[in-house]
Amino acid sequence: MSSIKQHIITLLLCLVSLCAQAQLNTDRITSIGRNALYFDDYVLSIQYFNQVIKLKPHLAEPYLLRAIAKIQLSDYMGALRDCNMSIENNPFQPGAYYTRGYIYRQLEDWDKAEADFTQALHFSPENKTYFILRADVRAQKHEYDLAMEDIEYLLRKEPKSASLHFEKGVICMGNNDTLCALNAFLQTVRYDSQNASNWSALGMVQLMQENDDEALVSLSKAIQLGSKWAGDYINRGIIHYNKHDYRKALADYDKAVSIAPQDAQSYYNRGMLRTELGDNNRAVEDFDKAIELAPEKVELRFQRAMVLLHLRQWKEALADLDVMIAHYPYFLPSYYYAAQAKTAMGDSKKAYQYRKTAFDLEQKKDSIVANDSISAPNTGVQVAYSSMQSKDRRKEFSARIAQSQNEEEEPEYESATRGHIQNRPVNVINIPNINDSIYEELTNLTDTAGVDFDAMLARYDSLAVAEPSVAFHPYNKANVLCILQRYAEALQEYDRAIAIDSEFAEAYFNRGLTRIYTDDVDRGIADLSQAGELGIYQAYNLITRFQ
């Protein structure tokens, strides 16, 4: 009896030892994953959290950490699934609701975002970040009074917080209350006079109120403090323009273009100034670039047409005016200038038609229901509007959740899988992961005209019967079916491959692309998310492009 008891005790001790070892391993793996997350190696961190989840799927933390990594890769749907699992495993974590609220905010699902931030505050009622984000979401819903309540609550505790006064100014701007915004931003520079963003915001509001002298001081202060926002130079350039100091205005527009070479507004404002200075050829170059960067802003074409008319480039001017007429059929100047171009080209009949159309519209204008197309497009020099964010919210999110202290711009990484890899372009091609000589031979062909695809598909069918537990056979068959553009059948084969091997990353990737190609975008993105989770990092760029 004592011998049996001794064996039982020994067995229990072994089990306890194994449990402790498993606990130690999962804790260590989680710690390694956290470190990878801290150092912006999001793809690697996901692989570590995958291991922990496989060993202990009942834990809440690894799902939440994996969600954070996916957020950094812009895989919001995948992150949302992980947040749901984390909350299901432990519904009492404020950080999980905050994270899910952040995801809903990125997806612009404002109601759900507000509900999650409110739930996070239920568990952590004094958390400043939760209040600020809930206020932001409420402002997005145009619930400005509720948003202001959140910020005022925090200001009563921290009346000298520049960042809170800044948030208040943002809400006031959203509510078109420039006086409220002015007072708020005056407080921001009072309590933090060394922050360029505070002066930028103040200067923009002063410019909107046509207080050019005060705005000039504020914007110059922002620039002196090292502002890298092109809008500060654009707005200061507008003030110089208003003061007829065209040399300084042009210098500011030049600087704006150098800072933000992909910003259409910088080129547009500089083009407008060059037009006024008679530098028409270079003005056309600026309008060309602005239209290239923002082709949806049709009114840019009107200004280019005006310059082209001065340059006697009638055909090119007429092309722009016709585009304007198509989008703004009640903007009468387009017709008159088009008639001018046609007259210069010797086509008096067409010129008469343009003038007659304009005349008819003029007679009917009182009976036309007012709509956006009737209004003349805004073609003047424009103020540059900031998103009014004091910092990058995604960077802030990463810092608060993963305890990262790095607030600098992301460095260039040697590794292809570090950082925000979703911003690195990839080709939209299937990843075959060739398993046998049949498919390898096919993919090496440059001309498939003589390939016996039926025999190839039959061979995969026979292999699947002989080896039903091998996922590569239906997978490779699916790839061939994609080549044949038989997508419905290909999807069925990818389904079979995944049913055999639920962690077949390439099958998820190819099925995702096939679904997207056949307009099943949501499920396609879900498959790409799964592929990324399983290690195919190229999926994250495609998720960013298609979601």
Side-chain angles (χ1 to χ4, degrees):
M1 186 69 179
S2 60
S3 177
I4 294 174
K5 183 177 180 181
Q6 185 66 39
H7 280 300
I8 292 173
I9 293 173
T10 302
L11 178 60
L12 288 173
L13 288 173
C14 289
L15 289 173
V16 169
S17 176
L18 288 172
C19 290
Q21 185 66 33
Q23 179 67 38
L24 179 62
N25 287 342
T26 54
D27 287 347
R28 179 167 175 74
I29 294 170
T30 301
S31 178
I32 295 172
R34 276 181 173 275
N35 287 335
L37 186 60
Y38 176 89
F39 288 108
D40 300 340
D41 205 337
Y42 308 121
V43 173
L44 180 62
S45 69
I46 287 172
Q47 304 311 307
Y48 284 117
F49 300 137
N50 287 348
Q51 295 179 45
V52 179
I53 289 169
K54 187 177 292 186
L55 289 170
K56 294 189 175 182
H58 61 280
L59 295 179
E61 183 185 32
Y63 284 106
L64 180 57
L65 292 172
R66 191 170 71 179
I68 295 165
K70 289 179 179 179
I71 287 170
Q72 300 303 316
L73 296 169
S74 300
D75 179 11
Y76 298 121
M77 299 311 297
L80 185 60
R81 289 193 299 273
D82 279 344
C83 279
N84 290 338
M85 285 300 301
S86 181
I87 290 170
E88 181 179 326
N89 288 347
N90 180 3
F92 304 105
Q93 342 165 55
Y97 292 102
Y98 162 51
T99 305
R100 192 172 68 177
Y102 176 87
I103 297 167
Y104 283 132
R105 179 176 175 271
Q106 294 300 107
L107 296 174
E108 298 186 358
D109 192 337
W110 310 120
D111 289 335
K112 290 182 179 178
E114 182 182 4
D116 272 339
F117 291 138
T118 299
Q119 187 66 14
L121 284 166
H122 174 74
F123 293 114
S124 182
E126 299 302 316
N127 190 293
K128 180 179 177 180
T129 300
Y130 301 169
F131 270 110
I132 291 174
L133 288 176
R134 187 173 71 173
D136 174 71
V137 169
R138 285 174 165 176
Q140 294 291 345
K141 295 171 64 179
H142 306 294
E143 296 175 348
Y144 298 109
D145 290 341
L146 290 175
M148 196 62 76
E149 283 182 12
D150 282 340
I151 298 302
E152 292 289 2
Y153 174 80
L154 294 174
L155 278 171
R156 285 194 291 272
K157 296 186 173 186
E158 300 181 53
K160 296 183 179 181
S161 170
S163 63
L164 289 177
H165 284 289
F166 191 98
E167 296 292 341
K168 180 177 179 178
V170 171
I171 296 169
C172 296
M173 286 290 290
N175 200 22
N176 295 318
D177 188 346
T178 55
L179 180 59
C180 169
L182 178 67
N183 291 330
F185 292 135
L186 284 171
Q187 294 292 75
T188 66
V189 298
R190 175 186 178 188
Y191 295 121
D192 184 2
S193 60
Q194 299 305 304
N195 188 319
S197 296
N198 296 342
W199 290 101
S200 295
L202 177 60
M204 187 176 68
V205 175
Q206 290 168 334
L207 181 57
M208 291 173 67
Q209 294 183 331
E210 300 182 356
N211 295 328
D212 284 4
D213 291 336
E214 295 177 4
L216 181 60
V217 172
S218 297
L219 293 171
S220 297
K221 184 67 175 179
I223 291 169
Q224 179 188 340
L225 289 171
S227 172
K228 290 182 171 58
W229 182 49
D232 286 332
Y233 290 93
I234 293 174
N235 289 339
R236 192 173 71 171
I238 291 171
I239 297 171
H240 289 313
Y241 173 87
N242 292 339
K243 291 177 176 292
H244 306 292
D245 192 339
Y246 299 134
R247 182 183 61 81
K248 288 183 179 179
L250 190 58
D252 275 339
Y253 292 149
D254 287 341
K255 184 65 175 180
V257 168
S258 68
I259 291 176
Q262 300 302 309
D263 180 15
Q265 192 171 346
S266 300
Y267 293 98
Y268 173 68
N269 280 16
R270 189 172 68 177
M272 291 292 294
L273 177 56
R274 283 175 167 172
T275 299
E276 187 155 337
L277 295 175
D279 190 357
N280 291 323
N281 287 310
R282 297 176 74 184
V284 170
E285 292 177 3
D286 277 337
F287 290 133
D288 287 345
K289 187 64 177 180
I291 291 168
E292 175 190 334
L293 294 170
E296 74 283 357
K297 295 183 178 180
V298 180
E299 57 269 25
L300 297 177
R301 292 178 177 271
F302 182 80
Q303 289 300 334
R304 185 171 68 178
M306 297 300 96
V307 183
L308 291 170
L309 287 174
H310 281 290
L311 294 172
R312 299 179 179 273
Q313 297 181 23
W314 314 116
K315 184 178 179 180
E316 292 80 0
L318 186 62
D320 279 340
L321 291 168
D322 282 338
V323 173
M324 275 291 296
I325 288 169
H327 285 80
Y328 295 97
Y330 303 105
F331 184 50
L332 301 184
S334 295
Y335 295 95
Y336 291 119
Y337 285 117
Q340 177 185 332
K342 275 298 184 182
T343 299
M345 296 167 69
D347 190 347
S348 58
K349 183 177 179 180
K350 186 63 177 177
Y352 170 76
Q353 291 177 352
Y354 278 119
R355 290 193 184 95
K356 186 177 185 304
T357 302
F359 178 79
D360 291 342
L361 289 173
E362 181 71 22
Q363 298 304 309
K364 296 177 182 177
K365 67 179 181 180
D366 293 335
S367 62
I368 298 174
V369 178
N371 57 56
D372 291 340
S373 64
I374 296 175
S375 302
N378 185 355
T379 54
V381 174
Q382 297 173 4
V383 177
Y385 290 95
S386 166
S387 62
M388 304 297 292
Q389 296 301 322
S390 57
K391 63 184 75 174
D392 185 318
R393 292 293 191 190
R394 185 163 65 184
K395 179 67 77 172
E396 176 192 20
F397 173 86
S398 178
R400 291 184 181 279
I401 291 290
Q403 286 79 48
S404 171
Q405 299 302 312
N406 179 17
E407 289 291 333
E408 299 177 354
E409 291 185 5
E410 181 178 87
E412 293 294 327
Y413 298 110
E414 293 182 5
S415 170
T417 61
R418 288 191 64 194
H420 296 132
I421 61 171
Q422 72 274 21
N423 298 328
R424 302 172 193 170
V426 299
N427 294 324
V428 184
I429 56 172
N430 288 18
I431 297 180
N433 193 5
I434 298 165
N435 178 249
D436 57 31
S437 60
I438 303 173
Y439 192 74
E440 185 173 8
E441 181 182 352
L442 174 62
T443 55
N444 288 333
L445 290 175
T446 57
D447 182 8
T448 60
V451 176
D452 188 345
F453 286 104
D454 290 337
M456 185 174 291
L457 294 172
R459 175 64 191 281
Y460 283 127
D461 285 336
S462 64
L463 286 171
V465 172
E467 299 175 308
S469 62
V470 177
F472 279 102
H473 300 325
Y475 169 75
N476 284 334
K477 180 182 177 182
N479 292 337
V480 175
L481 288 168
C482 280
I483 293 172
L484 296 173
Q485 299 184 16
R486 291 159 60 177
Y487 300 115
E489 297 171 73
L491 288 171
Q492 292 177 356
E493 295 301 324
Y494 287 133
D495 291 344
R496 291 191 180 96
I498 291 169
I500 295 170
D501 182 0
S502 62
E503 297 187 357
F504 197 162
E506 290 82 0
Y508 284 107
F509 185 90
N510 283 7
R511 188 174 72 176
L513 288 181
T514 305
R515 282 176 165 170
I516 289 172
Y517 189 77
T518 55
D519 293 327
D520 189 358
V521 178
D522 289 342
R523 291 207 297 169
I525 290 174
D527 276 342
L528 291 176
S529 172
Q530 190 68 28
E533 181 180 304
L534 293 169
I536 299 181
Y537 66 87
Q538 295 94 333
Y540 292 111
N541 174 264
L542 301 179
I543 290 170
T544 302
R545 289 161 64 181
F546 290 116
Q547 71 181 350

